[in-house]
Amino acid sequence: MPMRSSEVIVIGGGVNGLACAARLAAKGRKVTLLEAGAAVGGGAGEREFAPGYRAPALAHLTQGLDARVVEGMALERHGLAFHPALATTVLSGAAEPLLVRGGKTSGPDTAAWEALHRKLSGFARVLAPFRQMRPVRLAGENRLFGLARQGLGIRGLGRGDFRELLRMVLINVHDVAEDELTDDRLKGLLAFDATLGAWLGPRSPNSLILYLDRLARGADPLLPKGGMGALATALGRAAEAAGVKVRTGAQVERVLVEGDRAVGVRLAGGEEMRAGLVVSAMNPRTTFQKLAGAAALDAGFFKAVGHIRARGAAAKLHLALRGAPEFRGADPRSRIVITPSSEAVESAFNPVKYGEVPGAPVMEAILPSAHEPGLAPEGHHVLSAIVQYAPHAPKAGLEAARAEMLENTLKVLEAQSPGLRGLIVHAELLMPQDIEARFGMVGGNWHHGELAVEQMLFNRPTFAAAQYATPLPGLWLAGAGSHPGGGIDGAAGWNAAQAILEAKA
Amino acid sequence: MTALTHFRTPLLQTPFHARTAAANVLNRWGPWGGYMTALCFGDADMEYTAIRNGASVYDLCPMVKYRITGRDAAGYLNRLTLRDAGRLSVGGVQYTGWTDDDGKLLDDGTLFRHGPEDYLICCQERHLPWFLASAEGFEVEVAEVTEEIAALSLQGPCSATVLQAAGFDVFALKPFRMARFPFAGGEITVSRTGFTGDLGYELWMEPGQALPLWDHLMQAGAPWGIRPIGTDALNLARIEAGFIIANMDFIPAHQALREDRARSPLELGLGWMIDWDKGPFTGRRALLAEKEKGSDWVLVGLDIPGNVSAEGSILYYDKRAEAGIVTAAAWSPALKANVAIAQVKARHATGENLWVEIYALRELQYAKLMVPVTVAERPFFNPARKRATPPGRV
């Protein structure tokens, strides 16, 4: 006997799972959230990686949470606050470090950067509302009113800018950098930020749209007060305050299917829990292949799920340091991006196509301990860096690739911060495979499926499950694998809850 | 580098080719599934007469065959096909079909259960990518075995008697059952199946047994006028039997280029196949929705006045509004009737005020006929001997 749809199980206590659960609970659904780990937060948590040193579990910055999530969950009341937006210091070979704050910078491209930033931010502004909509369909039912409004928003750009948007929306970011800029430091920054977390290089087709998506999420990188762990804590508290029953250490092994309907879940220990709806904020491929299983799904759909591209190319570095590192005079509270040029980003991408490690990776590093002294012992520091690109399928094997990646990364860091290697107490490098094992991200891809033009909107994660409902009645998706993707943002979870609330039953 | 010469012989020859080529006095060949197949050996009327009055052999080798083995074979086939493959007993045969996620027919075919975990699918079109994709998550092996199995169809009211004369006593064999018989130091499988709607059998063997078996059957069957038949005669028999063929009476969903051309089993008169209670299968949700909402199309048998075959003709409601198309048609010698199979829009299922426009070519001039049709039960030709066990001795 299926239970009423007012009883909901949400699988996965990451940002999207929490956002979805909280919204459903606030609307009167009886929600139980199951998290396999010891604490909620997923990619937004915090972890002691060496005795006395705490670092972000995975993500170390956010472009800002979805405004609906912040407001709807009253996150500020539950302790969420951000440090002032981080400025960016670009370190580019032997060139002078360059400070960038939004559209403001210095050097020969001061005006060009401001103009480019204004133009791209304008495009991002008209595209941003799509992030909060259920993806449109090419055929079938659409919410024409909302769609028309967004369409008008785009047309509101004016004829010239509208044409410019159409020209640029699917272009590669390297061409944009070449067209609009002369300063390699800025070209490198643009190329790096566009491809951060993606499996493509700046010269890959459609790479600019990822930069627009980044700007649409928020103008500047933000660090929560208290560290990423505080963001996870605030989300968890807000969810519980909304009425969500959170169970940690509850690993879901199977979605129970009866009479062609998802009716509950079985936990790793064998315990069965039943509910009217099962919402998976886990990876879509894991959800369908491991939890639901082939027998309950049509063959064409199951095949499409297997074809979701999910290659991660970002490695995560955590360094425990016995002193403050010095990056050529850079503000230790800034976001340090080491990227010599757009070509250098492309060159760092090339080897991963062949399962090899780049000789000179590019990276984004922050010193969380410069903002939150409590993360490391007195006078000590923690460095957190996202290093690109790391092969998701290393030819040399995981151990050898990890060692080589760490060595090459430290070499690049040492060049920009002489003496840094001597400060290292402990180093941890997470390769895409490590990230997959620790966070359940298939292929180690942050977005639970590559965020790329052909896997966006009505194709995310796959056509037949693009509107959060899945072909299996009673089973819904709410994770980053769905529109609009991940990035410590919560939009996918919130949109999913909205779709569930609007569904007939 | 390998020298590529395949283009010099674009059509393969079947294991029976040495005999079919010798018998094909008209040299009338057509392509079927990449093989050369005889359209007519000498006289299509005599070949048709052998099907209905004597014994006929038809080279079935080009039929595409897949072997499904493994622990989940039954579960896999239940997810893939419309009927319950688990309830098919070992030694049994099932006429079945399979659809895509949207419930549109990909093909129909026969499913043979050789063992608890050993099945064979025979069908018209190739489906290996789909069958392999469907195997994800199941413990099964899917292998195309078209070239490993030679097959010969023996059809006609004298077929059981011919087989007995050849040393294969099939009198106890019921329709849609099969049995194994020793032959020439090996074994062959005989199933009571066919595509003629008559008493008939299909013989399955290793390719090396093909020529000896052909010779043996021709010798044993000579007193009953056994003769090889081509596709032309078979097509006439299958229309009388009301059977449909992929790419003639329906477009397999994977091949249809136009979105609205795919048809569901419900729309093709195969709704009876669907086992709604066996559990989930590919297309079930879409078919259930169609069943509730109603189908757009329906496949009907037609009886048409006169004797001009209506193949390919357009059907009209009230002589004006297009209502469907005739996919197969023939003057039936057995029934002395002009029969047809047609796809019509569902609201015309009763055939009321339905007309067919036939262009009859008479010595380089078309005569345009607009004649009323009536819906007729399929199979049009349905003799008791098809089902009788034991079949009559002749």
Side-chain angles (χ1 to χ4, degrees):
Chain A
M1 183 65 193
M3 294 173 78
R4 281 167 305 145
S5 59
S6 60
E7 306 216 349
V8 182
I9 289 174
V10 176
I11 310 170
V15 177
N16 285 305
L18 287 164
C20 180
R23 174 140 174 76
L24 292 176
K27 289 285 177 182
R29 305 290 175 107
K30 198 176 155 218
V31 184
T32 306
L33 183 140
L34 303 174
E35 163 59 39
V40 295
E46 196 178 272
R47 204 175 146 267
E48 189 174 51
F49 70 103
Y53 299 87
R54 304 186 63 79
L58 186 62
H60 62 198
L61 291 170
T62 165
Q63 290 291 112
L65 288 161
D66 186 292
R68 298 168 302 168
V69 176
V70 176
E71 199 177 311
M73 290 176 76
L75 288 176
E76 281 165 16
R77 198 147 53 75
H78 292 283
L80 181 70
F82 290 102
H83 289 286
L86 274 67
T88 297
T89 307
V90 186
L91 298 178
S92 182
E96 266 306 288
L98 182 72
L99 192 69
V100 181
R101 195 182 286 277
K104 300 260 177 282
T105 187
S106 56
D109 280 353
T110 304
W113 177 258
E114 194 177 353
L116 178 63
H117 187 267
R118 194 186 316 116
K119 180 161 80 172
L120 296 183
S121 297
F123 295 162
R125 212 162 22 248
V126 296
L127 295 178
F130 285 97
R131 297 178 50 82
Q132 303 194 347
M133 285 174 69
R134 201 185 311 182
V136 295
R137 282 256 155 107
L138 286 182
E141 285 173 47
N142 277 320
R143 326 209 111 214
L144 290 174
F145 178 71
L147 192 59
R149 209 173 46 189
Q150 306 319 337
L152 282 176
I154 294 177
R155 285 313 304 248
L157 281 171
R159 191 183 164 104
D161 279 350
F162 180 61
R163 281 188 177 168
E164 188 66 353
L165 171 62
L166 290 186
R167 179 183 76 82
M168 292 184 77
V169 71
L170 296 182
I171 208 171
N172 75 70
V173 70
H174 177 81
D175 282 358
V176 174
E178 287 296 299
D179 285 349
E180 316 266 348
L181 302 167
T182 60
D183 189 333
D184 266 341
R185 296 171 296 184
L186 290 170
K187 290 190 204 174
L189 178 64
L190 186 69
F192 179 84
D193 280 346
T195 56
L196 188 60
W199 200 92
L200 41 73
R203 281 175 172 164
S204 303
N206 318 328
S207 44
L208 181 73
I209 200 168
L210 301 185
Y211 191 79
L212 298 181
D213 185 63
R214 178 186 167 90
L215 290 177
R217 271 184 276 141
D220 297 294
L222 296 171
L223 183 69
K225 282 194 175 150
M228 283 310 269
L231 185 142
T233 308
L235 279 164
R237 276 194 201 136
E240 287 188 293
V244 178
K245 194 177 149 205
V246 177
R247 252 183 84 174
T248 53
Q251 186 170 6
V252 174
E253 200 176 64
R254 197 81 188 165
V255 168
L256 302 174
V257 180
E258 280 171 22
D260 200 32
R261 196 180 165 83
V263 296
V265 297
R266 190 176 68 230
L267 302 182
E271 183 190 343
E272 293 194 352
M273 298 176 66
R274 300 177 79 83
L277 294 180
V278 178
V279 182
S280 172
M282 291 179 67
N283 189 283
R285 206 194 280 179
T286 312
T287 300
F288 296 117
Q289 291 184 340
K290 303 252 168 66
L291 301 189
L297 298 162
D298 285 356
F301 177 77
F302 199 73
K303 178 182 164 192
V305 166
H307 287 180
I308 297 170
R309 286 193 299 104
R311 295 162 296 185
K316 187 71 204 296
L317 175 74
H318 300 134
L319 295 180
L321 303 171
R322 63 171 61 87
E326 167 66 32
F327 282 92
R328 299 171 59 205
D331 176 359
R333 291 178 167 228
S334 67
R335 177 176 79 115
I336 292 161
V337 177
I338 305 179
T339 171
S341 63
S342 177
E343 283 85 356
V345 180
E346 186 74 24
S347 298
F349 175 57
N350 288 336
V352 303
K353 300 180 209 166
Y354 311 103
E356 289 160 10
V357 170
V362 288
M363 67 194 76
E364 164 188 282
I366 62 166
L367 283 171
S369 50
H371 302 265
E372 301 291 339
L375 293 172
E378 182 76 40
H380 290 226
H381 276 280
V382 169
L383 181 143
S384 168
I386 300 164
V387 188
Q388 292 201 154
Y389 297 82
H392 66 288
K395 253 194 321 213
L398 179 58
E399 297 304 319
R402 191 194 291 116
E404 191 186 351
M405 190 80 196
L406 179 60
E407 178 56 30
N408 295 354
T409 303
L410 293 178
K411 261 192 238 162
V412 171
L413 278 168
E414 179 76 17
Q416 295 295 340
S417 176
L420 178 121
R421 294 190 77 152
L423 299 175
I424 296 172
V425 179
H426 181 76
E428 173 188 71
L429 184 83
L430 302 179
M431 293 289 275
Q433 293 90 331
D434 301 320
I435 292 170
E436 172 165 12
R438 201 173 275 183
F439 299 98
M441 295 169 168
V442 170
N445 184 278
W446 294 355
H447 293 283
H448 288 284
E450 286 168 45
L451 196 60
V453 131
E454 66 277 22
Q455 294 195 149
M456 283 181 174
L457 296 167
F458 49 80
N459 277 332
R460 187 164 188 87
T462 186
F463 184 75
Q467 298 189 310
Y468 309 101
T470 74
L472 179 62
L475 179 65
W476 293 73
L477 293 179
S482 294
H483 171 78
I488 313 300
D489 165 86
W494 200 263
N495 290 354
Q498 187 65 31
I500 291 166
L501 292 170
E502 286 171 9
K504 280 178 208 122
Chain B
M1 200 181 140
T2 317
L4 297 177
T5 57
H6 61 281
F7 59 90
R8 295 188 199 283
T9 48
L11 290 179
L12 300 169
Q13 298 175 349
T14 78
F16 294 107
H17 187 79
R19 298 296 180 271
T20 52
N24 196 340
V25 297
L26 294 178
N27 221 10
R28 286 244 303 136
W29 302 95
W32 173 21
Y35 285 87
M36 277 175 88
T37 194
L39 301 177
C40 178
F41 283 89
D43 184 328
D45 295 334
M46 289 302 289
E47 290 167 26
Y48 165 80
T49 304
I51 298 172
R52 293 285 179 237
N53 299 290
S56 66
V57 292
Y58 182 72
D59 181 357
L60 266 188
C61 297
M63 184 72 85
V64 180
K65 307 169 202 82
Y66 298 99
R67 193 166 176 215
I68 315 290
T69 50
R71 213 183 61 177
D72 293 341
Y76 165 80
L77 287 162
N78 269 348
R79 193 314 197 84
L80 178 76
T81 67
L82 299 171
R83 297 181 71 181
D84 189 340
R87 281 176 55 190
L88 177 66
S89 59
V90 173
V93 187
Q94 214 173 47
Y95 172 46
T96 188
W98 49 97
T99 72
D100 64 6
D101 293 17
D102 298 330
K104 302 301 183 192
L105 196 68
L106 297 173
D107 208 348
D108 59 347
T110 37
L111 178 68
F112 297 77
R113 190 167 194 175
H114 287 289
E117 299 175 2
D118 186 359
Y119 291 84
L120 186 79
I121 294 183
C122 292
C123 52
Q124 179 75 11
E125 302 294 323
R126 294 188 190 271
H127 299 283
L128 194 59
W130 180 250
F131 285 3
L132 289 175
S134 298
E136 276 179 46
F138 290 88
E139 219 174 279
V140 285
E141 289 280 323
V142 180
E144 168 154 2
V145 293
T146 304
E147 293 183 34
E148 292 165 31
I149 299 171
L152 194 65
S153 178
L154 175 67
Q155 304 278 311
C158 301
S159 52
T161 311
V162 168
L163 281 172
Q164 190 185 36
F168 311 122
D169 185 351
V170 293
F171 278 93
L173 201 58
K174 291 180 180 161
F176 290 102
R177 299 295 303 173
M178 56 185 164
R180 294 181 68 76
F181 296 94
F183 176 72
E187 268 192 328
I188 64 161
T189 298
V190 179
S191 59
R192 187 164 169 190
T193 49
F195 205 55
T196 60
D198 215 308
L199 176 66
Y201 301 84
E202 288 169 333
L203 287 62
W204 312 85
M205 69 214 81
E206 288 172 18
Q209 296 171 305
L211 294 180
L213 185 82
W214 176 283
D215 294 340
H216 182 66
L217 270 185
M218 289 310 224
Q219 197 175 15
W224 290 273
I226 192 169
R227 66 160 65 221
I229 63 160
T231 305
D232 295 349
L234 179 67
N235 193 44
L236 179 50
R238 75 93 187 174
I239 292 171
E240 290 179 334
F243 292 138
I244 58 172
I245 300 181
N247 274 318
M248 293 178 80
D249 302 281
F250 68 94
I251 307 298
H254 281 168
Q255 296 177 32
L257 299 176
R258 293 160 183 85
E259 205 178 8
D260 63 348
R261 298 304 196 272
R263 296 283 179 268
S264 78
L266 296 167
E267 293 173 320
L268 292 167
L270 302 178
W272 61 268
M273 278 184 183
I274 302 170
D275 190 329
W276 299 103
D277 303 320
K278 68 171 178 171
F281 60 89
T282 299
R284 184 179 187 274
R285 291 181 194 111
L287 289 166
L288 204 57
E290 182 185 331
K291 197 175 140 201
E292 277 164 22
K293 179 180 132 295
S295 305
D296 293 335
W297 293 86
V298 63
L299 189 91
V300 292
L302 297 178
D303 190 357
I304 299 172
N307 62 2
V308 185
S309 168
E311 201 168 347
S313 298
I314 297 175
L315 291 157
Y316 293 90
Y317 174 71
D318 199 22
K319 300 190 196 178
R320 279 194 297 272
E322 266 190 43
I325 186 168
V326 173
T327 60
W331 167 257
S332 161
L335 298 162
K336 305 291 180 281
N338 196 19
V339 296
I341 299 169
Q343 283 190 13
V344 297
K345 287 173 190 161
R347 61 181 173 276
H348 301 298
T350 60
E352 192 210 331
N353 201 6
L354 205 57
W355 299 71
V356 63
E357 183 182 47
I358 307 173
Y359 284 76
L361 185 61
R362 289 173 179 156
E363 297 177 328
L364 296 184
Q365 275 193 24
Y366 276 113
K368 194 173 107 175
L369 314 172
M370 182 67 89
V371 291
V373 302
T374 49
V375 167
E377 280 283 301
R378 284 182 305 136
F380 306 112
F381 178 70
N382 193 14
R385 62 180 183 245
K386 179 172 91 176
R387 291 170 300 277
T389 307
R393 281 164 215 273
V394 284

